[in-house]
Amino acid sequence: MLKNWLKIALINYRKNWVSTLINVLGLSVGLCIFLLVFINWQDEKSYENWNPGKDNIYLVENYNTAFGNMITSSYPELSVSKEKFSEIEDYAIINSWSGHKIRLMAGNQSVFTSNARTTANFFDFIPYEKIAGDFKNALSDESKMAISEETAKTLFGTDYQNCLGKTVKIDDGKDKLYVISAVYQLPEGNSVFKPGFVMLHPDLGKRSGDQQWTNYSYVGYFKLKPGTDAGKLEEKISRQNWEQEKIAMKKWGEKIDESKPSKVFLTPVSKMKLDAKSEGVDKGDKKSMMILMGLSLLILMLSGINLINLKTAQATQRAKEVGVRKAIGSTRGQLVLQFLMENFLLCMVSFILAFSLIELLLPSYNKFLGKKITLDDPMLFGYSGLMLLAFAVISGLIPALYLSNFKPINTLKGNFSRSRHGVWLRNAILTFQLVISSFFIICSLIIHSQVKHMMNKNLGFKGDQVIHVNFKKTDWENDYTYKKYLRLKNEVARIPGVQDITGSVFRIGEGVMNSSSVKYAQDTTKSISSVGVGGIDYNYFRFYKMKFVAGRDIDLRMASDTISGAIANETFIRKMGWNKEQAIGKEVYPGWENEKKYTILGVVKDFYVSGVEKPIDPILMFNYDRNWSKNNVGNLQIKLSGNDINGTLERIKDFWITKAEPGYPFDYEFVDKKFARTFEKFQKQQTLFTLLNAIVLTVALLGLFALSSLLIEQKLKDVAIKKTLGADEKTIVWDLTKKFLLMAALAVVISIPISYYFMNEWLKDFSYRIEMPWFPYALSFILLLFLTFAVVSIRAFQATKVNLVKYLKYE
């Protein structure tokens, strides 16, 4: 019986080779796209799965109205909560940023690597595999340091396992020696915790601000006792923090709004990669991934729809077969199993082709994502196998049930294509397919419009031919960073090809680095809770060709300007409730200096520091070298002449690695390209949506072509009769295509509210967004009708060339 089923399946595949090929290609592409998105989703979800205590370790995040969601906590919040709430077994502080690297030296060897400043119990929370030493006492005092196996190999070569007790030092000008107490192996699994070395956080709990509940400076983690209700604990800590924050607000004379209390969120470390409320630690983009997952499912559904539609359209070819089989004793269950087996064979071939495509595309896909995903996870094959089985059953069951439901007496005399149920099924499924196509067209056009809007937006500054170089080595002690900035500024200015140099605390393309509250001096109830700290060099506005809308720039000849003069951006004065003329001469109390007044000298036109999808921050800028901020300007912003840019860069690099920061790599970025990186996420979305749109249209139109071919073939006798009665080719083509055009028009109408809703939700991510345009909906209508007509009319025109004798010789 099985052998007979296989023979029948192969005969039908060969007979309908066009539709078989379209089905296989459509399913292969659909499965390939879905599995590519799925393996990336699984990769993101796998972070910290290697940690055996992951289920009880939680990232502590905070929220208040001034700063929004924050990854940092205050020291009292962590230490007091541990003592106060019995559900908390322990807490740890792990300040570790993969992008912040430090030079570590041992003799003549050095390594430039990331680090973690932590509490002594770091290895209780992050249990790396031990290579050497004792984790229990590895961070018992500030003179000890644990290093990774990679760091140890770089510093001590092949004898790295015997490095315990040897000393290293950080290149920070202090010459303090650290004793190596342990060597650990970084996990092979995905993790955000991969520091090159770990050390005790210096003076933890002893700093002047460490006892302030509103000094959010530490990334904290709680280890909860098994069975703890994290939600209830969140509420307890939130109430505690809100009480402490109200005390601080009363002290500062700020208005308390009981309807907007501060909150604490506890996020499991195994989920924080995607589910952190704040910016997290190397946080992934869950929303974009969910969108892609949904879109890939739509494409897979589209492939399934093609399969169902073509199978039901071929019912006329199988109707007599079903009638005969039933007449000689086949049960409905046997027929369903036969048709399901045929569908499973088709899906299996598509599945094998999909994995072949994934292997070919994986290197490019990894490059696009910036990852190293491999197909070595047996769970992936298990999941995809189950998905294949489910897909084969679901997509095969509908046509199998319809075909097996034929009554022998009717099928041996009639035609299923004339069955009202069969026609309605095909029409409904085809319309749904066209709805998906229209949805993709509309969304692609709107995404393209929004990205174009961002790319063309006036940024408020001119950053062409400007490079940004961050100092690798900085230090507040003895004004090291300040003196370094002045020295390098003067020396680099003498390099041929350098036109001008400036510096600032905040960095274009990276956002505001520090923020504070600012009050109006004459009415302290009027304040802004989060203002960007803008320490700048005197030539900053001229350097970037920024425009003043009122007032003037800081004048170095006037001591009052350099000591207490400030420049506000438009957002700042708008939030203060002033117009640009009213702002000039106003005095404010910035939170970064106690009771010292700053006078607003000028208002500069708003300019972007972060990406254009975010709102512009209020910023108050001042002369950097008259207060604490002078040691925060750890960068040079260098404008190059248009002649011999590559030669100038080589001269700057040679100076940097030999005189400025020997032993450190020379890294720079062009400011305009650095800012363009803030568009990268949305440009990728645009690229992906355009690619998916092309795939969706190709799959849908190929399916439409195959379906229309089958349906038109069933109407060739009608065409022959019409031609005999004198119908011209235009009339016949119109008769054969109008039904498909009506379905395409209906599909666009249905897709309009759906696409409007989802695109409106997507646009909410942008502070500066386009108004919902009308042209994508109109263009989708025109384009889908044109493509539908073009695809169907090809087969319809061929039908007009039908041989009349062949179809009418028995009439």
Side-chain angles (χ1 to χ4, degrees):
M1 184 174 68
L2 185 61
K3 185 179 179 181
N4 186 41
W5 288 0
L6 286 171
K7 279 184 178 179
I8 293 172
L10 291 174
I11 290 169
N12 278 293
Y13 291 151
R14 188 165 58 249
K15 182 181 179 181
N16 299 293
W17 68 270
V18 174
S19 61
T20 300
L21 184 63
I22 287 172
N23 275 329
V24 169
L25 289 176
L27 284 172
S28 300
V29 172
L31 283 167
C32 175
I33 291 170
F34 177 79
L35 289 172
L36 283 172
V37 175
F38 181 74
I39 60 177
N40 184 37
W41 171 258
Q42 288 298 110
D43 182 73
E44 291 286 294
K45 285 178 66 179
S46 69
Y47 274 76
E48 316 314 326
N49 280 350
W50 63 272
N51 190 332
K54 63 182 183 296
D55 294 330
N56 295 317
I57 300 172
Y58 290 76
L59 169 68
V60 184
E61 298 179 281
N62 290 274
Y63 165 83
N64 63 28
T65 54
F67 300 105
N69 291 320
M70 300 174 286
I71 190 177
T72 49
S73 303
S74 67
Y75 182 77
E77 176 187 353
L78 301 171
S79 58
V80 172
S81 295
K82 190 255 180 180
E83 299 300 325
K84 185 176 179 180
F85 303 112
S86 59
E87 300 95 323
I88 301 173
E89 186 176 306
D90 205 356
Y91 77 92
I93 288 171
I94 307 175
N95 279 12
S96 178
W97 314 105
S98 59
H100 179 62
K101 296 185 177 181
I102 293 177
R103 188 183 180 202
L104 192 65
M105 300 182 294
N108 295 325
Q109 300 298 318
S110 68
V111 62
F112 191 58
T113 186
S114 58
N115 65 99
R117 309 294 175 100
T118 76
T119 43
N121 59 351
F122 172 81
F123 292 107
D124 294 336
F125 280 70
I126 313 295
Y128 295 137
E129 183 178 337
K130 184 173 64 177
I131 302 297
D134 178 18
F135 282 171
K136 186 176 181 181
N137 298 308
L139 302 174
S140 56
D141 64 66
E142 292 184 12
S143 66
K144 293 182 178 181
M145 179 184 290
I147 62 176
S148 70
E149 187 177 22
E150 289 79 3
T151 300
K153 286 179 179 179
T154 304
L155 295 177
F156 302 105
T158 56
D159 194 38
Y160 72 92
Q161 291 184 338
N162 298 316
C163 67
L164 296 181
K166 293 183 180 180
T167 58
V168 294
K169 66 177 181 178
I170 297 172
D171 187 18
D172 56 4
K174 298 176 183 178
D175 292 327
K176 179 180 179 178
L177 296 176
Y178 296 88
V179 178
I180 297 175
S181 56
V183 179
Y184 57 86
Q185 185 181 68
L186 293 172
E188 292 183 4
N190 283 336
S191 178
V192 298
F193 303 108
K194 291 195 174 183
F197 66 89
V198 181
M199 58 186 292
L200 204 62
H201 202 297
D203 300 322
L204 190 61
K206 301 174 184 175
R207 299 183 178 189
S208 58
D210 277 355
Q211 302 311 313
Q212 296 177 15
W213 284 77
T214 55
N215 181 21
Y216 299 99
S217 302
Y218 302 107
V219 181
Y221 299 83
F222 285 144
K223 181 182 285 187
L224 306 186
K225 293 177 182 178
T228 297
D229 187 330
K232 290 182 178 179
L233 183 59
E234 278 182 355
E235 294 174 4
K236 292 179 184 179
I237 304 173
S238 294
R239 285 194 295 269
Q240 168 193 260
N241 279 21
W242 179 230
E243 292 302 320
Q244 294 295 333
E245 191 153 315
K246 285 193 289 186
I247 292 171
M249 291 171 77
K250 287 176 182 177
K251 179 181 177 182
W252 283 92
E254 295 178 6
K255 187 183 292 185
I256 297 172
D257 187 351
E258 289 286 356
S259 66
K260 297 178 180 178
S262 59
K263 295 178 183 177
V264 174
F265 303 105
L266 301 179
T267 308
V269 290
S270 59
K271 296 181 178 179
M272 68 178 185
K273 175 70 176 177
L274 293 174
D275 294 332
K277 302 293 189 298
S278 64
E279 73 276 12
V281 184
D282 294 333
K283 185 180 177 182
D285 188 354
K286 183 178 181 179
K287 186 174 182 179
S288 293
M289 293 192 68
M290 292 296 288
I291 291 171
L292 282 176
M293 185 69 77
L295 296 178
S296 65
L297 273 171
L298 278 178
I299 293 174
L300 195 57
M301 285 175 63
L302 198 64
S303 305
I305 287 168
N306 265 352
L307 185 63
I308 294 169
N309 238 345
L310 292 175
K311 285 288 184 184
T312 55
Q314 291 167 9
T316 53
Q317 300 172 5
R318 308 293 297 272
K320 287 187 179 180
E321 175 198 338
V322 172
V324 171
R325 291 178 71 88
K326 278 193 170 186
I328 62 176
S330 290
T331 65
R332 188 183 182 195
Q334 287 176 325
L335 289 168
V336 168
L337 282 175
Q338 177 191 345
F339 293 131
L340 284 176
M341 186 211 69
E342 291 180 12
N343 197 59
F344 182 77
L345 285 175
L346 204 66
C347 291
M348 179 57 75
V349 172
S350 302
F351 185 73
I352 294 168
L353 284 175
F355 264 101
S356 302
L357 279 171
I358 290 170
E359 282 286 357
L360 288 172
L361 295 173
L362 200 56
S364 300
Y365 189 58
N366 278 328
K367 186 178 179 181
F368 183 76
L369 296 174
K371 292 185 173 184
K372 295 180 181 178
I373 300 173
T374 56
L375 295 178
D376 56 1
D377 183 3
M379 292 297 289
L380 172 64
F381 294 96
Y383 284 138
S384 54
L386 288 172
M387 186 200 71
L388 171 68
L389 187 62
F391 182 80
V393 170
I394 293 169
S395 61
L397 200 58
I398 295 174
L401 288 173
Y402 268 95
L403 288 167
S404 64
N405 200 36
F406 296 168
K407 293 179 180 179
I409 192 168
N410 292 331
T411 54
L412 292 174
K413 293 185 347 180
N415 192 323
F416 177 72
S417 66
R418 293 172 188 165
S419 163
R420 184 178 298 174
H421 297 293
V423 173
W424 271 103
L425 173 68
R426 286 198 302 272
N427 289 349
I429 292 176
L430 179 58
T431 303
F432 181 63
Q433 190 178 37
L434 293 171
V435 167
I436 295 174
S437 303
S438 177
F439 173 81
F440 270 86
I441 293 171
I442 293 168
C443 293
S444 294
L445 291 170
I446 292 173
I447 289 173
H448 178 77
S449 298
Q450 176 61 32
V451 174
K452 185 179 178 181
H453 172 73
M454 291 193 299
M455 297 291 286
N456 294 337
K457 194 164 184 64
N458 182 7
L459 302 177
F461 66 88
K462 299 289 184 181
D464 50 311
Q465 294 175 202
V466 175
I467 63 169
H468 191 123
V469 186
N470 287 324
F471 299 163
K472 299 290 191 304
K473 181 180 178 181
T474 58
D475 189 7
W476 276 48
E477 289 191 13
N478 301 315
D479 288 339
Y480 174 84
T481 304
Y482 171 61
K483 293 173 182 176
K484 181 176 182 176
Y485 172 75
L486 293 177
R487 177 176 64 85
L488 294 183
K489 179 182 175 183
N490 290 328
E491 293 182 11
V492 171
R494 293 196 288 268
I495 295 175
V498 174
Q499 281 190 343
D500 201 1
I501 298 175
T502 194
S504 60
V505 172
F506 55 83
R507 300 157 191 175
I508 290 176
E510 295 181 18
V512 173
M513 309 305 290
N514 306 96
S515 58
S516 179
S517 61
V518 176
K519 303 175 186 176
Y520 179 33
Q522 291 184 13
D523 181 5
T524 56
T525 61
K526 185 180 287 186
S527 65
I528 307 175
S529 57
S530 182
V531 176
V533 175
I536 55 172
D537 206 343
Y538 72 94
N539 64 337
Y540 188 81
F541 300 114
R542 296 195 303 277
F543 183 92
Y544 282 110
K545 298 180 181 177
M546 295 178 181
K547 297 179 179 179
F548 278 80
V549 295
R552 60 179 175 81
D553 199 350
I554 296 171
D555 190 341
L556 287 180
R557 295 170 298 181
M558 301 176 66
S560 60
D561 280 15
T562 60
I563 294 171
S564 60
I567 306 296
N569 69 347
E570 290 177 300
T571 299
F572 178 89
I573 63 167
R574 190 162 52 247
K575 289 201 171 188
M576 273 293 190
W578 304 326
N579 61 39
K580 57 187 179 182
E581 286 79 18
Q582 290 172 337
I584 305 304
K586 290 285 195 300
E587 293 181 325
V588 293
Y589 288 122
W592 57 80
E593 287 191 67
N594 293 330
E595 302 305 317
K596 178 180 176 181
K597 294 179 182 178
Y598 276 74
T599 304
I600 297 176
L601 305 174
V603 178
V604 71
K605 188 175 180 61
D606 274 342
F607 60 95
Y608 286 91
V609 179
S610 303
V612 294
E613 81 280 5
K614 301 173 184 176
I616 294 177
D617 294 302
I619 303 176
L620 199 62
M621 294 154 280
F622 50 87
N623 182 37
Y624 79 101
D625 68 352
R626 289 297 185 101
N627 60 23
W628 58 270
S629 72
K630 61 185 178 183
N631 282 300
N632 277 17
V633 181
N635 60 82
L636 289 184
Q637 294 156 50
I638 308 166
K639 183 171 290 186
L640 311 177
S641 67
N643 301 321
D644 192 23
I645 289 178
N646 290 332
T648 305
L649 289 171
E650 282 299 318
R651 288 188 286 272
I652 294 172
K653 178 181 178 181
D654 182 63
F655 166 79
W656 207 269
I657 62 178
T658 56
K659 296 179 181 179
E661 290 186 319
Y664 288 90
F666 173 67
D667 298 316
Y668 70 90
E669 283 187 284
F670 280 92
V671 167
D672 51 356
K673 291 182 179 179
K674 186 176 186 177
F675 194 86
R677 282 217 326 264
T678 64
F679 303 133
E680 195 171 293
K681 167 186 168 183
F682 305 102
Q683 286 175 316
K684 283 185 176 182
Q685 287 183 4
Q686 181 187 27
T687 302
L688 283 171
F689 228 101
T690 302
L691 181 62
L692 293 178
N693 187 39
I695 292 169
V696 164
L697 283 174
T698 302
V699 172
L701 293 174
L702 283 174
L704 179 62
F705 176 77
L707 179 63
S708 61
S709 297
L710 285 168
L711 296 179
I712 290 172
E713 187 178 343
Q714 294 167 12
K715 292 187 176 184
L716 289 179
K717 186 179 288 187
D718 294 344
V719 172
I721 293 171
K722 287 178 180 179
K723 284 197 73 175
T724 304
L725 296 174
D728 59 14
E729 291 181 350
K730 288 181 181 180
T731 302
I732 293 171
V733 169
W734 173 249
D735 284 344
L736 292 173
T737 57
K738 64 182 179 181
K739 182 179 76 172
F740 295 99
L741 293 174
L742 285 171
M743 284 189 282
L746 178 62
V748 175
V749 172
I750 294 171
S751 71
I752 286 174
I754 299 170
S755 53
Y756 181 90
Y757 171 78
F758 283 104
M759 282 293 94
N760 197 49
E761 288 296 309
W762 182 76
L763 286 170
K764 285 179 182 178
D765 283 346
F766 303 91
S767 296
Y768 302 95
R769 51 168 279 185
I770 57 172
E771 292 299 319
M772 187 65 76
W774 59 267
F775 78 88
Y777 304 96
L779 190 57
S780 174
F781 185 83
I782 296 167
L783 185 61
L784 198 60
L785 285 179
F786 172 77
L787 291 173
T788 301
F789 180 78
V791 168
V792 178
S793 63
I794 293 172
R795 191 68 187 90
F797 182 74
Q798 290 174 348
T800 62
K801 307 300 181 183
V802 66
N803 186 337
L804 300 181
V805 174
K806 179 180 177 182
Y807 289 94
L808 298 178
K809 62 183 178 180
Y810 296 115
E811 297 298 325

